Short mmCIF file of all heavy atoms in Angstrom, two decimals:
data_model
loop_
_atom_site.label_atom_id
_atom_site.label_comp_id
_atom_site.label_asym_id
_atom_site.label_seq_id
_atom_site.Cartn_x
_atom_site.Cartn_y
_atom_site.Cartn_z
N TYR H 488 -35.17 -40.77 88.57
CA TYR H 488 -34.53 -39.61 87.95
C TYR H 488 -33.60 -38.93 88.98
O TYR H 488 -32.43 -38.68 88.70
CB TYR H 488 -35.58 -38.61 87.45
CG TYR H 488 -35.01 -37.26 87.09
CD1 TYR H 488 -34.39 -37.05 85.86
CD2 TYR H 488 -35.05 -36.19 87.99
CE1 TYR H 488 -33.85 -35.82 85.52
CE2 TYR H 488 -34.51 -34.95 87.67
CZ TYR H 488 -33.91 -34.78 86.44
OH TYR H 488 -33.36 -33.56 86.12
N TRP H 489 -34.13 -38.65 90.18
CA TRP H 489 -33.34 -37.97 91.20
C TRP H 489 -32.23 -38.86 91.76
O TRP H 489 -31.15 -38.38 92.10
CB TRP H 489 -34.23 -37.42 92.31
CG TRP H 489 -34.85 -36.13 91.88
CD1 TRP H 489 -36.12 -35.94 91.44
CD2 TRP H 489 -34.18 -34.87 91.80
NE1 TRP H 489 -36.30 -34.63 91.08
CE2 TRP H 489 -35.12 -33.94 91.29
CE3 TRP H 489 -32.91 -34.43 92.09
CZ2 TRP H 489 -34.82 -32.61 91.09
CZ3 TRP H 489 -32.60 -33.09 91.89
CH2 TRP H 489 -33.55 -32.19 91.38
N GLN H 490 -32.48 -40.15 91.81
CA GLN H 490 -31.42 -41.06 92.25
C GLN H 490 -30.25 -41.00 91.26
O GLN H 490 -29.09 -40.93 91.68
CB GLN H 490 -31.96 -42.49 92.34
CG GLN H 490 -30.97 -43.47 92.93
CD GLN H 490 -31.56 -44.86 93.05
OE1 GLN H 490 -32.29 -45.33 92.18
NE2 GLN H 490 -31.23 -45.53 94.14
N ARG H 491 -30.54 -40.98 89.97
CA ARG H 491 -29.49 -40.89 88.95
C ARG H 491 -28.77 -39.55 89.05
O ARG H 491 -27.53 -39.49 89.02
CB ARG H 491 -30.10 -41.06 87.54
CG ARG H 491 -29.07 -40.98 86.43
CD ARG H 491 -29.69 -41.28 85.06
NE ARG H 491 -30.86 -40.49 84.76
CZ ARG H 491 -30.84 -39.25 84.26
NH1 ARG H 491 -29.70 -38.64 84.03
NH2 ARG H 491 -31.96 -38.61 84.01
N ILE H 492 -29.51 -38.44 89.19
CA ILE H 492 -28.91 -37.11 89.30
C ILE H 492 -27.98 -37.04 90.51
O ILE H 492 -26.84 -36.56 90.41
CB ILE H 492 -30.01 -36.02 89.40
CG1 ILE H 492 -30.82 -35.95 88.11
CG2 ILE H 492 -29.40 -34.66 89.75
CD1 ILE H 492 -30.04 -35.56 86.89
N LEU H 493 -28.44 -37.53 91.66
CA LEU H 493 -27.63 -37.47 92.88
C LEU H 493 -26.39 -38.35 92.79
O LEU H 493 -25.32 -37.97 93.26
CB LEU H 493 -28.48 -37.85 94.10
CG LEU H 493 -29.58 -36.84 94.43
CD1 LEU H 493 -30.53 -37.41 95.48
CD2 LEU H 493 -29.00 -35.52 94.90
N ARG H 494 -26.52 -39.50 92.15
CA ARG H 494 -25.35 -40.37 91.96
C ARG H 494 -24.32 -39.70 91.06
O ARG H 494 -23.13 -39.74 91.33
CB ARG H 494 -25.77 -41.71 91.37
CG ARG H 494 -26.38 -42.64 92.37
CD ARG H 494 -26.75 -43.95 91.73
NE ARG H 494 -27.31 -44.86 92.71
CZ ARG H 494 -27.94 -45.98 92.41
NH1 ARG H 494 -28.09 -46.34 91.14
NH2 ARG H 494 -28.41 -46.75 93.36
N GLU H 495 -24.79 -39.08 89.98
CA GLU H 495 -23.87 -38.39 89.06
C GLU H 495 -23.15 -37.25 89.77
O GLU H 495 -21.94 -37.07 89.61
CB GLU H 495 -24.62 -37.86 87.84
CG GLU H 495 -25.04 -38.93 86.86
CD GLU H 495 -25.92 -38.41 85.73
OE1 GLU H 495 -26.23 -37.19 85.70
OE2 GLU H 495 -26.32 -39.22 84.88
N GLU H 496 -23.89 -36.47 90.55
CA GLU H 496 -23.27 -35.35 91.28
C GLU H 496 -22.27 -35.85 92.32
O GLU H 496 -21.20 -35.26 92.48
CB GLU H 496 -24.34 -34.47 91.93
CG GLU H 496 -25.11 -33.66 90.91
CD GLU H 496 -26.09 -32.68 91.53
OE1 GLU H 496 -26.07 -32.49 92.76
OE2 GLU H 496 -26.86 -32.08 90.76
N ALA H 497 -22.59 -36.94 92.99
CA ALA H 497 -21.66 -37.50 93.97
C ALA H 497 -20.40 -37.99 93.27
O ALA H 497 -19.29 -37.77 93.74
CB ALA H 497 -22.32 -38.65 94.74
N TYR H 498 -20.57 -38.63 92.11
CA TYR H 498 -19.42 -39.12 91.35
C TYR H 498 -18.55 -37.96 90.88
O TYR H 498 -17.33 -38.00 91.04
CB TYR H 498 -19.91 -39.95 90.17
CG TYR H 498 -18.79 -40.36 89.23
CD1 TYR H 498 -17.89 -41.34 89.61
CD2 TYR H 498 -18.62 -39.75 87.99
CE1 TYR H 498 -16.86 -41.73 88.77
CE2 TYR H 498 -17.59 -40.12 87.14
CZ TYR H 498 -16.72 -41.10 87.53
OH TYR H 498 -15.69 -41.47 86.71
N LEU H 499 -19.17 -36.92 90.33
CA LEU H 499 -18.40 -35.76 89.85
C LEU H 499 -17.69 -35.06 91.00
O LEU H 499 -16.55 -34.61 90.85
CB LEU H 499 -19.32 -34.79 89.11
CG LEU H 499 -19.86 -35.30 87.77
CD1 LEU H 499 -20.86 -34.31 87.18
CD2 LEU H 499 -18.74 -35.57 86.78
N SER H 500 -18.35 -34.99 92.15
CA SER H 500 -17.72 -34.38 93.32
C SER H 500 -16.50 -35.18 93.75
O SER H 500 -15.45 -34.61 94.09
CB SER H 500 -18.74 -34.30 94.45
OG SER H 500 -18.12 -33.84 95.62
N THR H 501 -16.62 -36.48 93.71
CA THR H 501 -15.48 -37.35 94.06
C THR H 501 -14.35 -37.16 93.07
O THR H 501 -13.19 -37.08 93.46
CB THR H 501 -15.93 -38.83 94.07
OG1 THR H 501 -17.01 -38.97 94.99
CG2 THR H 501 -14.80 -39.74 94.48
N LEU H 502 -14.68 -37.08 91.79
CA LEU H 502 -13.66 -36.87 90.77
C LEU H 502 -12.93 -35.55 90.97
O LEU H 502 -11.71 -35.50 90.89
CB LEU H 502 -14.30 -36.85 89.37
CG LEU H 502 -14.33 -38.14 88.60
CD1 LEU H 502 -14.94 -37.91 87.23
CD2 LEU H 502 -12.97 -38.76 88.47
N GLU H 503 -13.68 -34.49 91.25
CA GLU H 503 -13.06 -33.18 91.45
C GLU H 503 -12.12 -33.20 92.64
O GLU H 503 -11.04 -32.61 92.60
CB GLU H 503 -14.15 -32.12 91.67
CG GLU H 503 -14.91 -31.78 90.41
CD GLU H 503 -16.08 -30.84 90.68
OE1 GLU H 503 -16.26 -30.40 91.83
OE2 GLU H 503 -16.82 -30.56 89.72
N ASN H 504 -12.50 -33.90 93.71
CA ASN H 504 -11.66 -33.96 94.90
C ASN H 504 -10.40 -34.77 94.67
O ASN H 504 -9.35 -34.46 95.22
CB ASN H 504 -12.44 -34.54 96.08
CG ASN H 504 -13.50 -33.58 96.57
OD1 ASN H 504 -13.44 -32.38 96.35
ND2 ASN H 504 -14.50 -34.12 97.24
N THR H 505 -10.47 -35.81 93.84
CA THR H 505 -9.29 -36.64 93.62
C THR H 505 -8.39 -36.07 92.54
O THR H 505 -7.20 -36.38 92.51
CB THR H 505 -9.68 -38.08 93.23
OG1 THR H 505 -10.50 -38.04 92.06
CG2 THR H 505 -10.40 -38.77 94.35
N LEU H 506 -8.91 -35.23 91.68
CA LEU H 506 -8.10 -34.67 90.60
C LEU H 506 -7.56 -33.29 90.91
O LEU H 506 -6.91 -32.67 90.09
CB LEU H 506 -8.92 -34.63 89.30
CG LEU H 506 -9.35 -35.99 88.75
CD1 LEU H 506 -10.19 -35.80 87.49
CD2 LEU H 506 -8.16 -36.87 88.46
N THR H 507 -7.83 -32.78 92.10
CA THR H 507 -7.33 -31.47 92.49
C THR H 507 -5.82 -31.54 92.60
O THR H 507 -5.28 -32.40 93.29
CB THR H 507 -7.94 -31.04 93.83
OG1 THR H 507 -9.35 -31.06 93.71
CG2 THR H 507 -7.47 -29.65 94.22
N PRO H 508 -5.10 -30.65 91.90
CA PRO H 508 -3.64 -30.71 91.98
C PRO H 508 -3.15 -30.35 93.37
O PRO H 508 -3.76 -29.54 94.07
CB PRO H 508 -3.18 -29.65 90.96
CG PRO H 508 -4.36 -28.76 90.76
CD PRO H 508 -5.59 -29.58 91.04
N ALA H 509 -2.08 -30.97 93.76
CA ALA H 509 -1.51 -30.72 95.09
C ALA H 509 -0.88 -29.34 95.18
O ALA H 509 -0.77 -28.76 96.23
CB ALA H 509 -0.48 -31.79 95.43
N VAL H 510 -0.44 -28.81 94.03
CA VAL H 510 0.19 -27.50 93.98
C VAL H 510 -0.65 -26.61 93.09
O VAL H 510 -1.09 -27.02 92.02
CB VAL H 510 1.62 -27.62 93.40
CG1 VAL H 510 2.28 -26.26 93.31
CG2 VAL H 510 2.45 -28.57 94.23
N LYS H 511 -0.88 -25.40 93.53
CA LYS H 511 -1.64 -24.47 92.71
C LYS H 511 -0.88 -24.17 91.43
O LYS H 511 0.35 -24.09 91.42
CB LYS H 511 -1.90 -23.17 93.47
CG LYS H 511 -2.80 -23.36 94.67
CD LYS H 511 -3.02 -22.04 95.38
CE LYS H 511 -3.89 -22.21 96.59
NZ LYS H 511 -4.06 -20.96 97.32
N GLU H 512 -1.63 -23.99 90.34
CA GLU H 512 -1.00 -23.79 89.04
C GLU H 512 -0.15 -22.52 88.98
O GLU H 512 0.88 -22.49 88.32
CB GLU H 512 -2.08 -23.73 87.95
CG GLU H 512 -2.75 -25.07 87.73
CD GLU H 512 -3.83 -25.00 86.67
OE1 GLU H 512 -3.80 -24.05 85.86
OE2 GLU H 512 -4.68 -25.89 86.66
N ASN H 513 -0.56 -21.47 89.65
CA ASN H 513 0.16 -20.20 89.57
C ASN H 513 1.17 -20.03 90.70
O ASN H 513 1.63 -18.93 90.95
CB ASN H 513 -0.84 -19.04 89.60
CG ASN H 513 -1.72 -19.05 88.37
OD1 ASN H 513 -1.31 -19.50 87.31
ND2 ASN H 513 -2.94 -18.56 88.51
N SER H 514 1.48 -21.10 91.40
CA SER H 514 2.42 -20.97 92.51
C SER H 514 3.84 -20.84 91.98
O SER H 514 4.18 -21.29 90.90
CB SER H 514 2.31 -22.16 93.46
OG SER H 514 2.73 -23.33 92.78
N VAL H 515 4.67 -20.19 92.76
CA VAL H 515 6.07 -19.98 92.39
C VAL H 515 6.84 -21.26 92.66
O VAL H 515 6.76 -21.81 93.76
CB VAL H 515 6.66 -18.81 93.21
CG1 VAL H 515 8.12 -18.61 92.88
CG2 VAL H 515 5.86 -17.54 92.98
N PRO H 516 7.57 -21.77 91.67
CA PRO H 516 8.33 -22.99 91.92
C PRO H 516 9.42 -22.75 92.95
O PRO H 516 10.02 -21.68 93.00
CB PRO H 516 8.92 -23.35 90.55
CG PRO H 516 8.85 -22.10 89.74
CD PRO H 516 7.75 -21.26 90.33
N THR H 517 9.65 -23.74 93.77
CA THR H 517 10.69 -23.63 94.78
C THR H 517 11.82 -24.59 94.44
O THR H 517 11.63 -25.57 93.74
CB THR H 517 10.14 -24.00 96.18
OG1 THR H 517 9.65 -25.34 96.13
CG2 THR H 517 9.05 -23.06 96.60
N THR H 518 13.00 -24.25 94.91
CA THR H 518 14.14 -25.13 94.67
C THR H 518 14.44 -25.89 95.95
O THR H 518 14.19 -25.40 97.05
CB THR H 518 15.39 -24.33 94.25
OG1 THR H 518 15.71 -23.42 95.30
CG2 THR H 518 15.16 -23.58 92.97
N THR H 519 14.96 -27.06 95.79
CA THR H 519 15.32 -27.87 96.94
C THR H 519 16.80 -28.14 96.88
O THR H 519 17.33 -28.56 95.85
CB THR H 519 14.55 -29.21 96.90
OG1 THR H 519 13.15 -28.93 96.85
CG2 THR H 519 14.85 -30.04 98.13
N ASP H 520 17.48 -27.85 97.96
CA ASP H 520 18.91 -28.14 98.04
C ASP H 520 19.09 -29.44 98.79
O ASP H 520 18.41 -29.72 99.77
CB ASP H 520 19.64 -27.02 98.79
CG ASP H 520 19.61 -25.71 98.01
OD1 ASP H 520 19.61 -25.77 96.77
OD2 ASP H 520 19.57 -24.65 98.67
N PHE H 521 20.02 -30.25 98.31
CA PHE H 521 20.34 -31.49 98.96
C PHE H 521 21.73 -31.39 99.57
O PHE H 521 22.63 -30.81 98.98
CB PHE H 521 20.29 -32.67 97.98
CG PHE H 521 18.90 -32.97 97.50
CD1 PHE H 521 18.41 -32.41 96.34
CD2 PHE H 521 18.08 -33.80 98.24
CE1 PHE H 521 17.13 -32.68 95.91
CE2 PHE H 521 16.80 -34.08 97.82
CZ PHE H 521 16.32 -33.52 96.65
N VAL H 522 21.87 -31.96 100.74
CA VAL H 522 23.16 -31.96 101.43
C VAL H 522 23.55 -33.40 101.66
O VAL H 522 22.76 -34.21 102.15
CB VAL H 522 23.06 -31.23 102.78
CG1 VAL H 522 24.37 -31.28 103.53
CG2 VAL H 522 22.61 -29.79 102.56
N GLU H 523 24.79 -33.74 101.30
CA GLU H 523 25.27 -35.10 101.52
C GLU H 523 25.63 -35.25 102.99
O GLU H 523 26.30 -34.40 103.58
CB GLU H 523 26.50 -35.37 100.66
CG GLU H 523 27.03 -36.77 100.82
CD GLU H 523 28.23 -37.04 99.94
OE1 GLU H 523 28.59 -36.18 99.12
OE2 GLU H 523 28.82 -38.12 100.11
N ILE H 524 25.18 -36.32 103.58
CA ILE H 524 25.51 -36.63 104.97
C ILE H 524 26.40 -37.86 104.94
O ILE H 524 25.99 -38.92 104.48
CB ILE H 524 24.25 -36.91 105.80
CG1 ILE H 524 23.35 -35.68 105.78
CG2 ILE H 524 24.62 -37.32 107.21
CD1 ILE H 524 22.01 -35.90 106.46
N LYS H 525 27.62 -37.69 105.42
CA LYS H 525 28.55 -38.81 105.44
C LYS H 525 28.37 -39.58 106.73
O LYS H 525 28.36 -39.02 107.80
CB LYS H 525 29.98 -38.31 105.30
CG LYS H 525 30.23 -37.66 103.96
CD LYS H 525 31.66 -37.26 103.79
CE LYS H 525 31.80 -36.60 102.42
NZ LYS H 525 33.17 -36.33 102.08
N MET H 526 28.22 -40.88 106.57
CA MET H 526 28.03 -41.76 107.72
C MET H 526 29.39 -42.26 108.17
O MET H 526 30.24 -42.61 107.35
CB MET H 526 27.14 -42.94 107.35
CG MET H 526 25.75 -42.54 106.85
SD MET H 526 24.79 -41.65 108.08
CE MET H 526 24.51 -42.93 109.24
N THR H 527 29.58 -42.29 109.47
CA THR H 527 30.83 -42.84 110.00
C THR H 527 30.69 -44.34 110.08
O THR H 527 29.61 -44.87 110.30
CB THR H 527 31.14 -42.26 111.39
OG1 THR H 527 30.04 -42.56 112.26
CG2 THR H 527 31.35 -40.76 111.34
N ASP H 528 31.80 -45.04 109.91
CA ASP H 528 31.79 -46.49 109.93
C ASP H 528 31.83 -46.97 111.38
O ASP H 528 32.71 -46.60 112.14
CB ASP H 528 33.01 -47.03 109.16
CG ASP H 528 32.97 -48.53 109.03
OD1 ASP H 528 31.85 -49.10 109.04
OD2 ASP H 528 34.05 -49.14 108.91
N HIS H 529 30.83 -47.75 111.76
CA HIS H 529 30.78 -48.31 113.12
C HIS H 529 31.16 -49.77 113.04
O HIS H 529 30.82 -50.48 112.10
CB HIS H 529 29.36 -48.19 113.71
CG HIS H 529 28.96 -46.76 113.95
ND1 HIS H 529 29.45 -46.02 114.97
CD2 HIS H 529 28.11 -45.96 113.27
CE1 HIS H 529 28.93 -44.82 114.93
NE2 HIS H 529 28.11 -44.75 113.91
N THR H 530 31.86 -50.24 114.05
CA THR H 530 32.26 -51.64 114.05
C THR H 530 31.09 -52.56 114.36
O THR H 530 31.05 -53.67 113.90
CB THR H 530 33.39 -51.89 115.06
OG1 THR H 530 32.96 -51.42 116.33
CG2 THR H 530 34.66 -51.18 114.65
N SER H 531 30.12 -52.09 115.16
CA SER H 531 28.97 -52.93 115.46
C SER H 531 27.92 -52.74 114.37
O SER H 531 27.72 -51.66 113.86
CB SER H 531 28.39 -52.58 116.83
OG SER H 531 27.88 -51.27 116.82
N SER H 532 27.23 -53.83 114.04
CA SER H 532 26.24 -53.77 112.96
C SER H 532 24.94 -53.12 113.39
O SER H 532 24.21 -52.60 112.58
CB SER H 532 25.96 -55.18 112.44
OG SER H 532 25.45 -55.98 113.50
N SER H 533 24.63 -53.12 114.68
CA SER H 533 23.38 -52.51 115.14
C SER H 533 23.69 -51.21 115.86
O SER H 533 24.55 -51.17 116.74
CB SER H 533 22.62 -53.47 116.05
OG SER H 533 23.37 -53.72 117.21
N ALA H 534 22.98 -50.15 115.49
CA ALA H 534 23.18 -48.86 116.15
C ALA H 534 22.52 -48.92 117.52
O ALA H 534 21.39 -49.36 117.66
CB ALA H 534 22.58 -47.76 115.31
N SER H 535 23.22 -48.47 118.53
CA SER H 535 22.71 -48.52 119.89
C SER H 535 22.56 -47.11 120.42
O SER H 535 23.43 -46.27 120.21
CB SER H 535 23.68 -49.30 120.77
OG SER H 535 23.29 -49.19 122.12
N PRO H 536 21.47 -46.84 121.15
CA PRO H 536 21.30 -45.50 121.73
C PRO H 536 22.17 -45.30 122.97
O PRO H 536 22.18 -44.25 123.56
CB PRO H 536 19.82 -45.46 122.09
CG PRO H 536 19.45 -46.89 122.32
CD PRO H 536 20.31 -47.68 121.38
N PHE H 537 22.93 -46.32 123.36
CA PHE H 537 23.75 -46.25 124.56
C PHE H 537 24.88 -45.24 124.38
O PHE H 537 25.62 -45.26 123.42
CB PHE H 537 24.34 -47.63 124.86
CG PHE H 537 25.31 -47.62 126.01
CD1 PHE H 537 24.86 -47.47 127.31
CD2 PHE H 537 26.67 -47.77 125.80
CE1 PHE H 537 25.76 -47.47 128.37
CE2 PHE H 537 27.57 -47.77 126.85
CZ PHE H 537 27.11 -47.61 128.15
N LYS H 538 25.02 -44.33 125.34
CA LYS H 538 26.10 -43.34 125.37
C LYS H 538 26.86 -43.55 126.67
O LYS H 538 26.34 -43.25 127.74
CB LYS H 538 25.55 -41.92 125.30
CG LYS H 538 24.72 -41.63 124.08
CD LYS H 538 25.56 -41.53 122.86
CE LYS H 538 24.72 -41.11 121.69
NZ LYS H 538 25.06 -41.72 120.46
#
Side-chain angles (χ1 to χ4, degrees):
Y488 167 81
W489 279 102
Q490 186 178 39
R491 180 175 52 83
I492 295 297
L493 292 170
R494 282 181 178 167
E495 287 173 0
E496 288 186 9
Y498 173 73
L499 292 175
S500 174
T501 303
L502 265 183
E503 288 174 4
N504 290 338
T505 57
L506 297 178
T507 303
V510 179
K511 294 180 181 177
E512 291 179 20
N513 295 331
S514 65
V515 178
T517 59
T518 60
T519 304
D520 294 327
F521 291 94
V522 177
E523 181 179 354
I524 300 174
K525 295 184 181 188
M526 301 298 292
T527 58
D528 186 27
H529 294 286
T530 55
S531 65
S532 60
S533 63
S535 171
F537 175 72
K538 302 288 185 217

